[in-house]
Amino acid sequence: MTKETKRDQNDLRGRHKRLCEEIEEHNRRYYLEAAPAISDGEYDALMRELIEIETACPELVSPESPSQRVGGAPSEGFATARHQIPMLSIDNTYNEAELRNFDARVRRALAGKQPRYVVELKIDGVSVSLRYEEGRLVRAATRGDGQQGDDITANARTIRSLPLRLRNIASDKNAADNELFGNHEDAPPNPLEVRGEVFMKVSELERINRDREAQGLEPYRNPRNTTAGTLKLLDPKQVAKRRLDVFLYDMVEGVPAHVSTHYEILALLRSMGFPVNPHHARCDSIEDVLAVCGQWRQKRHALDYETDGMVIKVDALEQRRELGATSKAPRWVIAYKFPAETARTRLRDITVQVGKSGALTPVAELEPVKLAGTIVKRATLHNFEEVMRKDFRVGDLVEVQKAGEIIPNVIRVIPEARPDAAPPTMPPAKCPACGSEAHRDPEGVFYRCLNAACPAQVKERLEHFASRAAMNIEGLGPALIEQMVGRNLAKDPADLYALDAATLGGLERMAEKSARNIIEAIDKSRQQPLHRLLLGLGIRHVGARTAALLAAKFGTMDALMRATIEELTDVEDVGDVVAAGIRDFFDVAENRALVERLRSAGLDFKAENTLAAKEDAPLHGLTFVVTGALESCTRDEMHERIQRLGGRFATSVSKKTDYVIAGANAGSKRDKAESLGVKILTEKEFQTLVDSLTGNNHE
């Protein structure tokens, strides 16, 4: 290495360090102080320079680099993270009397002492636990069942308001918190575990929905559900595109000895660079608590995030320890849920919305009315059985409520205000999106469109068809399918086989080589066996195992399409409901036309040589549950192998489970298997079992 090269690298390292510090400082100013010092364009230029340096010098990339906010490689799945300190739930109250009862219980348990309380907004998001070691974020986990959740560290790193590396305590010489922590710098506690709530701002959801509607996609319903769905995405790059936020509200490990109150914990969190909700108050009595709660019942509607109540906590940590907890919730904290607001308005019309599974959902089109701080124009009516039971009719005066402060819900009719001769509402005879006949679920209350080519269901059906478990078309993911549907390149699975590389190359972020790779993957999928095609068609109630059993029983697509209800119910695991779903699917003319187009595209309509339906199959009659990260294959591939050998797989452990195949980081399913005495196998032990049952014949 020449001196010049070494000097250049040293210069890059220095510039990289300065850029990291500068970008994180701008993140702090923007997200924590709401006082940005530079424009978005200037910020983006700094980030581009950082990424260019890291591309030239990959060794400079670290988990704490601001570049990791844009997301890393997709995950195969989430590992299980066990909480060393359980994440308990919080008991709820719904009125002033219940809050007073809580205060009385606390004072009795504290031998009559009057506690101080801290009152915080109850953010409507997803609870997370964050662990820091030596000031660096090392793990983020969802609440899960309170004992263990999903490890979402890669997704959490994309949240720009969340510090990846903590500041020293009271490092800001002008900070008001210096009166609590002194005018000196202390390193953050090590280790440190904090708890918080990940959420999405209302304005961010509106931005996302504007983009979705421009592409002809259904908008997301509310910030809370969108947050939960975003954190479950396996690709952090997709998570980064949705700007999640977080507020931290507690410290469960690493609390310094001199900190004695929750109010001081919030100040300490803020001092280390954590985003803390500014709207919290210290109260000397329950009367003060009630006053704060009353103020926020209306004020909350001016916020850019959803909150469905207040959280009231005993302030003194020593008193908290004295109060303790039940098996489900601490005794020193309670949530006060705001009462649902209602309003009256006219029901202008009842329209029909087609869901991704073909469900035809009635929707109330309302005279606009202000409710819980927003103008409500539409509300779900759930299903047509509910419409007829409550006798909703066009022209009715109705009472509307926001369930959970998010979703508008029509709760009742005001019968004395009904217009004369208002006709009863009847279920639809046809799908409004494609005109196909509407079918009522034989076992339920929903009416459905069973046309697989229905334009209202296209995107979800294409994603399912291309999924790894079905036709396994590598590279054909949700983002690409959104573009294809938006540009009318694919209306059903058969359209995929008419695509070419030149057409795909015209899509955004689609290079020539990527387009060729996807076309090759589509061509390769023509050779997938019949059971995968059956799964890909999205027939209601037909999962991977049922598809394999159907393919093995009937042998060809044509034989299955001709099968009667009686013949279908002869297949293991196929009862009357499943058989009716299969028969209904193939009785729809549009679905039969789709099958013929797939035949013309050269797909395999014959079953592969399978053992799945044979009683002498080596694993016949055995049920397996697969958990943890496998080394030799994916979980879907293991499921398919079990089925090929005549076994069945389940997703939960019960007394009927014969074996659990446990990979790395196996969590609650392994624990349950141990408690029930179910045999646990490693991948190697599973292979040994197969060898012993097949005479060492490796399939």
Side-chain angles (χ1 to χ4, degrees):
M1 180 184 297
T2 65
K3 289 183 179 180
E4 288 75 11
T5 301
K6 189 172 183 179
R7 185 168 58 250
D8 289 345
Q9 287 192 339
N10 287 337
D11 289 345
L12 284 176
R13 289 178 185 277
R15 179 58 179 159
H16 180 269
K17 183 175 184 296
R18 291 190 298 275
L19 278 170
C20 287
E21 292 171 350
E22 188 175 354
I23 290 171
E24 287 300 350
E25 175 62 18
H26 287 305
N27 283 338
R28 186 180 70 83
R29 287 176 176 271
Y30 185 92
Y31 291 104
L32 272 66
E33 299 178 5
I38 60 175
S39 68
D40 289 347
E42 290 170 314
Y43 178 92
D44 291 341
L46 293 175
M47 184 66 80
R48 282 196 300 271
E49 183 182 355
L50 179 71
I51 292 173
E52 287 171 2
I53 291 175
E54 291 183 347
T55 302
C57 302
E59 69 276 8
L60 295 180
V61 180
S62 73
E64 295 80 40
S65 170
S67 67
Q68 300 307 292
R69 304 269 193 197
V70 300
S75 305
E76 287 291 328
F78 294 113
T80 298
R82 184 170 290 278
H83 303 302
Q84 294 182 352
I85 300 171
M87 294 185 73
L88 300 180
S89 58
I90 300 176
D91 289 334
N92 292 323
T93 60
Y94 296 90
N95 55 52
E96 180 179 314
E98 290 176 347
L99 267 183
R100 292 185 184 280
N101 289 338
F102 165 73
D103 174 61
R105 289 196 303 272
V106 168
R107 285 187 286 107
R108 279 197 304 271
L110 295 176
K113 288 182 288 188
Q114 175 60 53
R116 262 185 168 183
Y117 295 109
V118 174
V119 184
E120 304 170 43
L121 294 177
K122 186 176 182 295
I123 308 302
D124 200 12
V126 176
S127 296
V128 292
S129 182
L130 306 167
R131 186 172 182 82
Y132 288 77
E133 294 177 1
E134 297 181 350
R136 292 177 169 84
L137 176 66
V138 296
R139 193 189 74 174
T142 60
R143 180 182 181 276
D145 62 6
Q147 301 296 322
Q148 58 188 16
D150 290 333
D151 187 327
I152 57 163
T153 308
N155 287 348
R157 291 186 189 280
T158 69
I159 303 172
R160 300 210 173 192
S161 56
L162 180 67
L164 304 180
R165 183 183 303 198
L166 300 179
R167 303 163 63 201
N168 285 346
I169 298 173
S171 61
D172 184 351
K173 300 306 180 186
N174 297 315
D177 299 331
N178 286 347
E179 63 184 68
L180 290 173
F181 308 114
N183 198 21
H184 62 280
E185 293 190 11
D186 287 332
N190 182 41
L192 171 68
E193 187 161 337
V194 295
R195 302 275 163 86
E197 196 84 0
V198 177
F199 64 95
M200 179 178 285
K201 291 181 178 178
V202 174
S203 57
E204 173 63 8
L205 180 66
E206 291 172 349
R207 181 191 69 81
I208 292 171
N209 280 341
R210 283 196 298 271
D211 291 344
R212 291 181 64 80
E213 288 169 352
Q215 299 174 56
L217 301 173
E218 186 177 342
Y220 293 129
R221 295 291 302 276
N222 59 69
R224 197 271 169 200
N225 289 354
T226 309
T227 298
T230 299
L231 288 176
K232 290 179 181 177
L233 294 175
L234 295 177
D235 188 351
K237 288 186 172 64
Q238 296 302 316
V239 179
K241 292 178 181 178
R242 304 178 187 179
R243 300 161 193 161
L244 296 179
D245 219 318
V246 65
F247 282 133
L248 280 299
Y249 55 72
D250 205 359
M251 184 186 301
V252 297
E253 184 179 3
V255 180
H258 65 275
V259 173
S260 61
T261 68
H262 180 66
Y263 196 76
E264 291 174 348
I265 283 177
L266 295 178
L268 178 59
L269 290 170
R270 188 169 57 244
S271 177
M272 289 185 287
F274 286 111
V276 174
N277 191 287
H279 304 300
H280 59 270
R282 212 173 197 176
C283 298
D284 291 328
S285 69
I286 194 63
E287 300 303 326
D288 294 341
V289 169
L290 290 167
V292 172
C293 292
Q295 292 168 10
W296 279 105
R297 280 187 62 175
Q298 291 303 320
K299 282 172 57 177
R300 73 189 194 275
H301 298 314
L303 298 170
D304 193 21
Y305 47 85
E306 299 286 353
T307 176
D308 59 352
M310 309 295 289
V311 180
I312 297 92
K313 302 175 181 177
V314 170
D315 190 27
L317 303 188
E318 180 57 39
Q319 290 181 346
R320 290 187 182 188
R321 287 188 283 269
E322 189 175 342
L323 290 165
T326 68
S327 60
K328 294 182 179 179
R331 294 189 178 94
W332 46 263
V333 60
I334 199 118
Y336 167 65
K337 301 296 285 288
F338 292 127
E341 296 185 23
T342 62
R344 291 186 176 187
T345 188
R346 285 286 172 186
L347 179 58
R348 284 178 165 177
D349 196 7
I350 296 177
T351 57
V352 180
Q353 181 173 291
V354 186
K356 64 181 180 182
S357 65
L360 304 179
T361 303
V363 177
E365 306 293 342
L366 303 167
E367 189 78 35
V369 62
K370 189 170 184 178
L371 181 62
T374 60
I375 301 299
V376 174
K377 299 178 181 178
R378 308 181 83 219
T380 179
L381 293 174
H382 303 294
N383 57 70
F384 280 96
E385 184 173 280
E386 180 85 349
V387 169
M388 291 183 286
R389 184 177 68 82
K390 292 187 175 181
D391 196 18
F392 291 126
R393 304 187 186 189
V394 173
D396 276 340
L397 183 67
V398 294
E399 194 165 271
V400 185
Q401 174 181 301
K402 272 198 172 181
E405 295 298 320
I406 301 294
I407 305 169
N409 182 28
V410 182
I411 54 177
R412 71 185 186 100
V413 171
I414 311 301
E416 60 270 23
R418 170 167 288 165
D420 293 337
T425 301
M426 303 304 295
K430 294 184 179 297
C431 169
C434 69
S436 297
E437 182 183 356
H439 295 255
R440 181 170 181 171
D441 287 351
E443 80 286 11
V445 297
F446 283 99
Y447 287 77
R448 292 182 190 275
C449 170
L450 301 181
N451 176 11
C454 175
Q457 306 171 56
V458 167
K459 178 179 172 292
E460 287 79 7
R461 286 188 176 275
L462 287 175
E463 286 184 26
H464 176 71
F465 185 84
S467 67
R468 181 181 295 175
M471 301 301 281
N472 194 22
I473 303 177
E474 189 173 348
L476 193 56
L480 181 56
I481 288 174
E482 279 196 14
Q483 287 196 68
M484 290 165 57
V485 172
R487 299 197 186 188
N488 207 30
L489 298 180
K491 301 183 294 296
D492 59 43
D495 285 341
L496 298 176
Y497 297 95
L499 294 172
D500 55 42
T503 302
L504 288 183
L507 300 178
E508 293 178 16
R509 299 172 187 166
M510 181 57 61
E512 181 181 345
K513 183 178 179 182
S514 299
R516 287 200 308 270
N517 289 341
I518 289 170
I519 294 300
E520 289 174 6
I522 292 173
D523 287 341
K524 184 179 178 182
S525 74
R526 299 176 203 265
Q527 309 306 316
Q528 292 287 8
L530 177 60
H531 71 275
R532 282 180 169 266
L533 175 56
L534 291 176
L535 180 63
L537 288 175
I539 304 170
R540 279 198 84 217
H541 306 302
V542 175
R545 173 173 167 78
T546 302
L549 292 171
L550 290 169
K553 174 71 173 180
F554 293 100
T556 68
M557 177 72 80
D558 295 302
L560 175 61
M561 291 174 69
R562 291 192 301 267
T564 64
I565 292 287
E566 292 74 20
E567 291 170 331
L568 289 167
T569 53
D570 280 343
V571 179
E572 184 184 354
D573 287 354
V574 176
D576 292 338
V577 171
V578 179
I582 298 167
R583 191 62 270 151
D584 285 346
F585 181 88
F586 287 117
D587 284 344
V588 174
E590 291 87 350
N591 294 346
R592 293 196 302 274
L594 171 63
V595 170
E596 290 309 311
R597 291 174 59 221
L598 291 171
R599 188 198 306 273
S600 298
L603 273 69
D604 191 349
F605 275 29
K606 294 182 180 179
E608 65 179 357
N609 183 21
T610 178
L611 299 170
K614 297 182 180 179
E615 293 188 4
D616 58 350
L619 300 185
H620 182 78
L622 297 178
T623 299
F624 296 79
V625 171
V626 184
T627 184
L630 305 180
E631 293 183 1
S632 62
C633 60
T634 66
R635 195 173 299 181
D636 286 339
E637 289 167 345
M638 180 63 80
H639 287 163
E640 189 168 324
R641 187 168 183 229
I642 290 167
Q643 288 183 139
R644 280 204 312 273
L645 293 167
R648 64 177 300 166
F649 67 84
T651 56
S652 60
V653 180
S654 69
K655 292 180 179 179
K656 296 182 180 180
T657 306
D658 295 292
Y659 296 98
V660 167
I661 303 172
N665 299 315
S668 59
K669 292 179 183 178
R670 183 188 183 109
D671 295 341
K672 188 170 184 180
E674 290 174 346
S675 68
L676 294 175
V678 175
K679 177 71 174 177
I680 299 173
L681 304 176
T682 63
E683 290 175 76
K684 186 175 181 180
E685 288 168 339
F686 172 70
Q687 182 60 56
T688 301
L689 173 66
V690 171
D691 289 346
S692 68
L693 295 173
T694 59
N696 203 32
N697 177 14
H698 290 259
E699 302 172 58

